[in-house]
Amino acid sequence: MENAIEIKDLRKKYGAFGVDNVTFTLPKGFIMGFVGKNGAGKTTTIKSILNMVSKDTGEVKIFGLDSVEHEAEIKQRIGIVMDSPFFEENWTLLQVGKALKPFYPNWNDEKFKRMLAEFMLDPNKRVKELSRGMKMKIMIACAMAHDPDLLILDEPTSGLDAVARDELMDVLKSFISNENKSILFSTHITTDLEKIADYITFIENGRIVHSDTKDNLLEKYVVVKGGLGLLSPEQKSLVIGYQETKVNFDGIVDKSKLAELPKSLITEPCALDELVVRFNKEGRRS
């Protein structure tokens, strides 16, 4: 299977902060949710992929090409949406399109204008007059106007209301309907990923915790609940994101470890949001 993104042993440090030994693969034709709390290393990883910062060590390939040696060629095939727009505030939306067009030989004015219309954006409105949701829409329109093969989105739904997030999910589902297109979607809002993601990669404290298909991850873990005092210290260490109330405990467990726990425990299916919360708790505990 051809890969849209291959990252191996990526390392980038800013003093005590950074990412270390980041390794994951996004196959072509799929959406990967890149998940972690704010400050976990998502943006640093994405900026390293895009050569917006120079990685210390490691290898990044996009479409099978080295991201440094073939940077110009690769970026013609990528659409990028960061968490805030980088446009001149006094530009109209038409001026935004005119400013970007020279950088992309495949830029399609008609597609850009059509997307503005679909998003109900006034082409004569100025960037500074846009709401948070509108700014996200203009960035999406710009990212897609040159028909990219890969979209890289860094926290695109942060600060958006539920309606705007649903609209964006519809746009992404339409984009990915072409099997040659791929999306890397960085977010800490996992309800969005429940709807559209094929793969999930968790990052915590600059390190990859898990990377697999969404279905495999949800199948691998189960929520466990029980009364206090049921678990030995060794058994308790198997429970990810362990927490207690006055009368009971809960957490998640790898199903392969269930045989090592008391049979009296209550087990329930694990949702993606539950996984993220528990992995974050585990990261704080470790």
Side-chain angles (χ1 to χ4, degrees):
M1 181 183 295
E2 184 178 344
N3 295 316
I5 301 175
E6 299 172 63
I7 302 177
K8 184 176 181 180
D9 299 329
L10 172 65
R11 186 175 189 272
K12 175 64 181 178
K13 287 291 185 180
Y14 303 97
F17 174 78
V19 296
D20 191 22
N21 195 34
V22 168
T23 299
F24 64 84
T25 298
L26 170 59
K28 186 176 75 172
F30 295 96
I31 299 177
M32 174 177 282
F34 190 34
V35 182
K37 63 185 179 182
N38 292 333
K42 301 188 300 297
T43 297
T44 298
T45 301
I46 286 175
K47 286 184 175 180
S48 298
I49 293 171
L50 297 172
N51 293 322
M52 295 172 69
V53 297
S54 298
K55 62 183 181 292
D56 297 335
T57 58
E59 183 179 65
V60 177
K61 289 186 177 181
I62 311 294
F63 315 122
L65 304 173
D66 183 89
S67 65
V68 176
E69 293 180 14
H70 300 274
E71 181 176 5
E73 177 184 348
I74 288 169
K75 286 188 174 177
Q76 289 298 320
R77 298 173 61 188
I78 295 179
I80 304 167
V81 178
M82 305 303 283
D83 60 351
S84 58
F86 48 83
F87 311 128
E88 167 59 47
E89 287 285 298
N90 285 316
W91 283 350
T92 66
L93 303 193
L94 283 181
Q95 287 174 322
V96 169
K98 288 179 180 178
L100 293 178
K101 181 177 179 179
F103 296 97
Y104 297 100
N106 292 332
W107 183 272
N108 187 323
D109 275 330
E110 290 306 312
K111 181 174 183 178
F112 178 68
K113 292 175 183 177
R114 185 168 63 250
M115 293 194 72
L116 293 184
E118 289 176 2
F119 289 153
M120 293 184 288
L121 294 174
D122 180 351
N124 295 309
K125 207 174 187 73
R126 298 188 183 277
V127 173
K128 65 183 179 182
E129 299 174 309
L130 302 180
S131 67
R132 165 69 180 166
M134 290 177 178
K135 286 181 178 178
M136 185 55 57
K137 288 177 180 179
I138 184 61
M139 286 192 287
I140 291 289
C142 290
M144 297 179 68
H146 64 286
D147 193 29
D149 294 319
L150 170 65
L151 283 179
I152 296 181
L153 313 175
D154 188 16
E155 296 282 2
T157 57
S158 179
L160 298 186
D161 60 34
V163 173
R165 297 209 319 267
D166 279 344
E167 289 176 347
L168 176 57
M169 295 306 105
D170 289 341
V171 170
L172 298 184
K173 283 187 282 188
S174 176
F175 176 82
I176 205 72
S177 63
N178 182 327
E179 64 184 14
N180 292 315
K181 309 294 187 182
S182 312
I183 300 174
L184 178 64
F185 185 152
S186 158
T187 186
H188 62 278
I189 304 175
T190 52
T191 50
D192 297 332
L193 300 179
E194 291 272 15
K195 303 172 185 176
I196 65 168
D198 304 297
Y199 288 79
I200 302 291
T201 295
F202 291 99
I203 188 168
E204 174 67 24
N205 295 327
R207 291 178 173 268
I208 301 301
V209 180
H210 288 282
S211 187
D212 204 343
T213 67
K214 180 179 67 178
D215 290 343
N216 282 350
L217 281 169
L218 294 180
E219 178 62 27
K220 183 176 182 179
Y221 295 96
V222 63
V223 176
V224 293
K225 301 178 179 180
L228 298 180
L230 273 179
L231 302 183
S232 68
E234 292 78 13
Q235 290 173 324
K236 191 180 296 185
S237 70
L238 301 177
V239 181
I240 299 169
Y242 179 92
Q243 64 180 13
E244 295 182 352
T245 67
K246 292 181 179 179
V247 294
N248 58 26
F249 76 90
D250 57 40
I252 62 172
V253 173
D254 187 319
K255 285 183 179 179
S256 66
K257 304 293 184 182
L258 276 177
E260 301 177 44
L261 299 177
K263 293 182 179 180
S264 59
L265 292 181
I266 298 171
T267 62
E268 298 175 354
C270 189
L272 183 59
D273 188 57
E274 186 79 16
L275 275 176
V276 174
V277 169
R278 299 300 177 160
F279 283 138
N280 283 339
K281 285 182 180 294
E282 192 69 12
R284 290 195 296 271
R285 187 176 73 170
S286 60

